Each structure stands twice: as structure tokens, then as C-alpha cells.
Amino acid sequence: MTTKLGLQLQMHEGSADAWAIACRPAEMKVIWQGDQSNTLNTVVLDKYRQAGIPLVARPFTGAGSTQEGQFLANLDVGVQDMMWILRNFRAKWPHWVRYQVLNETGINAWAPAHAEFVRRIAAEARSEGFTLDLFNFPTGNPSHPAGWPPYESDPAGFMAELRRQWDPYLPGLYAIKEYGHRLGLNQYAPTYPMDVGSKFHILRHRMVLEVLPADLRDIEITVGETSIDRGGDFPREQRGFRSVCSEQQFADELRWLDRKLHEDVNVKVAHIFGSYIIYFDPARSFDVAGSGPVQQAIRDGANIPHIEPPPSPPPSPEPPPAESYEFTLGFATFAAAHPEVGEAAGPLGYDTWGNGLQLTTVGELRWWRIVNKITFLKHDARQ
């Protein structure tokens, strides 16, 4: 079996090097940040193409919901603006195999507009010969447990809520299938090893397919981003895989992930986040570029048996803080009623979307702002 692992490249001069070509990835997603297609370096693109690596275009139209939401605010204008961008990219370099349209704009309140945008552009793009990765939901959105019935005690109730979250997007999903595009999902593991909580995180596509209507369960999927990401509560230099494991351990996890993806015919490729992503990750905590073990894992494809990682992650390079912590706000009330959450192990924090987080000695408590619910995720379960 050949690999299903691809790379994600931030385009810049000289970035087509021997390392990336020697990885022989399933494909390469090129993020072009700058004057869109006008200054695209086609010489670099041709080097990858000549090496037999399919290339996917990711026009950098903004960072997430705030900037890319402009395409959903006025659908008539948004669809035509995106078509103009796609035409420019193809005119500059006609060999893209697909184009990723928007990224991580999946805020549930925008679901009707997002679904209608996808429905419209799926049809128009196909009429002009474009193949797209669409929706490209961020990890956990819209399908992360958000104060719903705990899966462990009420799996039916949990799945019913998950199905309800996906229902508004069905018009767009049917258009993706009808016109031969792909559903895009970004899927990260929240820690090392990758399979901790995998059904909710790095393999969440399986749960998504389970709640979709039967006639959508053969929809093709691109995992647009995958890696280890500890989340926005950590500074960027501590979010990526390099903050929790070695290159070799990460490479072994990629082998495990590749084998898991080969079990799922829907998933066609998964792009490893972090190749030259300088604008996001100046400390390169996600960066795989130049790594020998990662290169070998991609080259090996799915033929290497999964090497079980050590039973516990390596010690942190810095000693844990000496101060003690207490549960605060609603977390204190929740913890008092649920002793299984353990003791507080960190301060109260908030992510980009205003959701609360507090680590415990055995997991983490999360407050989901939109639904005003608290959930607990235990960290010792390997899915």
C-alpha cells in the first residue's frame, strides 16, 4: 500500500528541496501567502510535478472565521470572488489536481450560509473543471462534544446531538458528492500518543460518517491538516509535536495513522501540518521539514507495522510549576459533584472562541460558551 500522508507547504523561494521530494508524499498542499497567484513561483511547482508529486492549491484567503467569513457574508459576491481566485491560480499554473476553498470557517451559527456557499460553488466550479476540498472544518467543529450527554454513559444521546450539529450542512454535503468534490476535515491529536481520544479527534471522520445519511456515507474526504496540536491554551512554541515527543516517536505515530487511514476508503489523503509553516509557527514546534524519521515514515507508507509508543509521554523539558491550583467558577461546582475528574492541575484558561479550559490530574474540564455546558474528558483512554 502507498502512503495516504501528504505534506503542507508554505510557499517561498527555495522551498522545493531534496528532503520534501524524497519523502514521496501522497500529494503536496501549497499555501500561497502573498499577492495570490500573481507572484506564484511556477519553477518551484514544476520541480515537485516533475518528481511525480500531485499538488493541491490553497489560496490564502485569510486566517479562519474572521477573515474568510467575508465570502459567506454576501453569497453572490463571495462565490464569484472565489471563482475569480481559482481561475487566476489555474491560469498561472494549470496542473493543480484540486483546490482547497476556505479553511476553518466552520462556526455553527454560519451553517446555513456556509452550506449554501458550498452548494453554489460546488456546481459552478465543476462546470469549469475545478475539483475542490470544501468546508474544511477545524478540528472539533462542528462535530466536537459541546456539553452533550457524555459518550461513555449515553452514546446514543451523544450521537443524536452530533447528528443534529451536522444536519444544517447537508445541502452542501450532497452538492459535494453530486459534483465530485471532497469534504475537508482538519483532524489533530490533542496530545501524544495520537490515539488518545482518537474517536473525537484525529479519527473523528469515522464518527462523522456514522451520523450522516446512508447515501452520504461514501463521500470522499480530504484531511486537510493533521498532526499533534495541544490547542490554543498553549503558546505556539509549545503546541506542536516537538513539545511532547521526539521526531522518531512522532514518525512512529504517523505510521500508525497511515495504517488507520488505509482502513477507511473514504479518506483519500491527510496533509501533515507543519512543513515550512513559518508565519504561524516561528518556533517550528509543528515543523517536520528536514526530519529523517518523518521522511522515512512517509516513504514507508502503510507497510510498516505500528510500533507501540512508550506507555507514558516523555518528561517535560521544564519542571512543572510548584504552585497549587483550585477549580474556579462553574468548574468548582462541577468537580464537587463529579469526583472522578480528580484535582485541579492548572489555571483556568480560554481558547480563541471563548471556551473555558482547566486541566485536572486525570483529564480536562471544558466549558462550551455557546451552549453553556461543562464536559470532562479523561486522558487515559486509548481509542
Coordinates of all heavy atoms in Angstrom, one line a residue, residues 19 22 244 275 293 298 334 339 367:
W19 N 14.7 17.1 0.4 CA 14.0 16.4 1.5 C 12.6 16.2 1.2 O 12.1 15.1 1.3 CB 14.1 17.2 2.8 CG 13.4 16.6 3.9 CD1 13.8 15.6 4.8 CD2 12.0 16.8 4.3 NE1 12.8 15.2 5.7 CE2 11.7 15.9 5.4 CE3 11.0 17.7 3.9 CZ2 10.5 15.9 6.0 CZ3 9.8 17.7 4.5 CH2 9.5 16.8 5.5
A22 N 12.1 13.7 -1.7 CA 12.5 12.4 -1.3 C 11.4 11.7 -0.4 O 11.4 10.5 -0.2 CB 13.8 12.4 -0.6
V244 N 6.0 17.5 22.9 CA 5.6 16.4 23.7 C 6.3 15.1 23.3 O 6.1 14.1 24.0 CB 4.0 16.2 23.6 CG1 3.3 17.3 24.3 CG2 3.6 16.0 22.1
S275 N 5.0 21.8 7.4 CA 6.2 21.9 6.5 C 6.4 23.4 6.2 O 5.7 23.9 5.3 CB 6.0 21.1 5.2 OG 5.6 19.8 5.6
P293 N 13.4 10.8 10.4 CA 12.4 9.8 10.8 C 11.1 10.1 10.1 O 10.4 9.1 9.7 CB 12.3 10.0 12.3 CG 13.7 10.5 12.7 CD 14.1 11.4 11.6
I298 N 6.9 8.5 5.9 CA 6.1 8.8 4.7 C 6.5 7.9 3.6 O 5.6 7.3 2.9 CB 6.2 10.3 4.3 CG1 5.7 11.2 5.4 CG2 5.4 10.6 3.0 CD1 6.0 12.7 5.2
F334 N -19.0 21.8 39.3 CA -19.0 20.5 38.6 C -18.1 19.5 39.2 O -18.4 18.3 39.4 CB -18.5 20.8 37.1 CG -18.6 19.6 36.2 CD1 -19.8 19.5 35.5 CD2 -17.6 18.7 36.1 CE1 -19.9 18.4 34.6 CE2 -17.7 17.6 35.3 CZ -18.9 17.5 34.5
P339 N -16.5 13.6 41.5 CA -15.1 13.4 42.0 C -14.2 12.7 41.0 O -13.0 12.7 41.2 CB -15.4 12.5 43.2 CG -16.8 11.9 43.0 CD -17.5 12.9 42.3
W367 N -15.6 24.3 29.4 CA -16.9 25.0 29.3 C -17.1 25.5 27.9 O -16.3 26.2 27.4 CB -16.8 26.2 30.3 CG -18.0 27.0 30.2 CD1 -19.3 26.7 30.5 CD2 -18.1 28.4 29.7 NE1 -20.2 27.8 30.2 CE2 -19.4 28.8 29.7 CE3 -17.1 29.3 29.3 CZ2 -19.8 30.1 29.3 CZ3 -17.4 30.6 28.9 CH2 -18.8 31.0 28.9

